[in-house]
Amino acid sequence: MIDHANYRIAQGHSISIQRAQGVNDNMKKPHYHEFYELYYLESGSRIHMADDLLLRIGPGDFLLFPPYSMHYSYGEKDAPFQRLVLYFTPETIALSRDLGPLSQKTHLFQTDSHHEI
């Protein structure tokens, strides 16, 4: 899966969004960004390794990765998923210096119970 949203940020855009779907689309290498990533799972399930957390997310859940947060994701074999990512630079947020905890570690937001494994 090509991350077009990442390319747009690299070209100087301050915000970029991309919807994607896949099956067996696994990131084998941890990575980080110099910008925020809001990862919203529309359907399916994914497992994310972020910083020192291993998280299973389902439809309606989203993660907020701050800049420089090491992360990757994978899914069960042959399990389809659809996700939406929104990338934005710290400068995009008014008063980003006041984000406190949101700028320090990955946060999981869920519509139901916590799925830390």
Side-chain angles (χ1 to χ4, degrees), residues 94-108:
L95 303 174
S96 63
R97 68 185 179 281
D98 296 327
L99 288 176
L102 291 180
S103 65
Q104 298 169 11
K105 68 176 188 165
T106 300
H107 291 272
L108 170 65

Side-chain angles (χ1 to χ4, degrees), residues 22-26 28 44-47 56 73-81:
V23 176
N24 297 326
D25 180 42
N26 298 321
K28 298 181 193 255
S45 66
R46 298 293 284 170
I47 299 168
R56 180 181 305 273
S73 70
Y74 58 94
E76 304 290 334
K77 182 171 174 35
D78 300 326
F81 71 98

Side-chain angles (χ1 to χ4, degrees), residues 71-100:
H71 62 279
Y72 67 95
S73 70
Y74 58 94
E76 304 290 334
K77 182 171 174 35
D78 300 326
F81 71 98
Q82 184 168 318
R83 58 110 169 122
L84 184 69
V85 291
L86 173 70
Y87 297 144
F88 55 96
T89 63
E91 298 78 25
T92 305
I93 304 171
L95 303 174
S96 63
R97 68 185 179 281
D98 296 327
L99 288 176

Side-chain angles (χ1 to χ4, degrees), residues 2 11 14-15 22 24 35 39-40 46 52-53 61 71-72 77 82 87 102 106 112 114:
I2 298 173
Q11 293 172 343
S14 60
I15 191 166
N24 297 326
F35 46 82
Y39 184 109
Y40 176 74
R46 298 293 284 170
D52 59 353
L53 299 173
D61 295 341
H71 62 279
Y72 67 95
K77 182 171 174 35
Q82 184 168 318
Y87 297 144
L102 291 180
T106 300
D112 57 7
H114 191 65

Side-chain angles (χ1 to χ4, degrees), residues 7-58:
Y7 291 135
R8 286 190 292 275
I9 292 288
Q11 293 172 343
H13 295 262
S14 60
I15 191 166
S16 186
I17 192 168
Q18 179 176 346
R19 174 177 277 137
Q21 58 188 14
V23 176
N24 297 326
D25 180 42
N26 298 321
M27 294 180 192
K28 298 181 193 255
K29 188 174 182 183
H31 66 281
Y32 66 88
H33 311 283
E34 295 179 357
F35 46 82
Y36 286 91
E37 176 181 348
L38 182 66
Y39 184 109
Y40 176 74
L41 191 62
E42 295 180 291
S43 65
S45 66
R46 298 293 284 170
I47 299 168
H48 286 263
M49 184 64 185
D51 303 317
D52 59 353
L53 299 173
L54 186 59
L55 303 164
R56 180 181 305 273
I57 66 170

